[in-house]
Amino acid sequence: MEYKINSNTRIKADSKQYIVQTRQCRENPAEDENTHVWRDRAYFTKLDAAARYLLEQFVRESDIPDLVKLGRDLENFKTEITEAITKKDV
């Protein structure tokens, strides 16, 4: 199963784990016509832990200096994650 959060982030699942993956540019795109590749970022046994990880990383990697804007953007990202997960579970 795959939960697509946005164009650069997804959570893949198998029978034992959830894998948070991000899309990155290939180092040598000339070798392959695919210029992007999915890289594993973290592994979890529970989906809610993977979602929490994504939210924490969003804050850590953010360069938004305004806390109010950061809070707004965080809520929007939280909504993206929730919609992606609940859409698959329906």
Side-chain angles (χ1 to χ4, degrees):
M1 180 169 285
E2 182 177 306
Y3 301 93
K4 183 177 179 187
I5 307 303
N6 56 39
S7 62
N8 293 319
T9 307
R10 70 184 182 186
I11 300 172
K12 289 203 66 161
D14 61 28
S15 63
K16 298 185 189 292
Q17 63 191 349
Y18 294 93
I19 307 164
V20 174
Q21 296 180 324
T22 54
R23 189 170 163 234
Q24 296 179 341
C25 290
R26 289 181 65 90
E27 292 178 17
N28 299 316
E31 296 174 6
D32 188 354
E33 59 192 46
N34 188 0
T35 58
H36 292 90
V37 64
W38 289 97
R39 302 272 186 214
D40 296 350
R41 300 265 318 252
Y43 301 87
F44 300 92
T45 56
K46 297 186 183 211
L47 184 56
D48 62 328
R52 279 195 311 271
Y53 169 83
L54 284 173
L55 291 171
E56 290 171 7
Q57 287 304 113
F58 178 82
V59 173
R60 286 189 183 118
E61 295 172 1
S62 174
D63 56 357
I64 301 171
D66 180 11
L67 286 178
V68 174
K69 180 161 178 20
L70 177 62
R72 230 178 291 130
D73 288 354
L74 183 61
E75 281 302 314
N76 291 338
F77 189 55
K78 188 184 226 180
T79 301
E80 273 184 69
I81 293 171
T82 303
E83 287 174 357
I85 291 171
T86 56
K87 194 181 336 176
K88 282 287 187 188
D89 289 341
V90 172

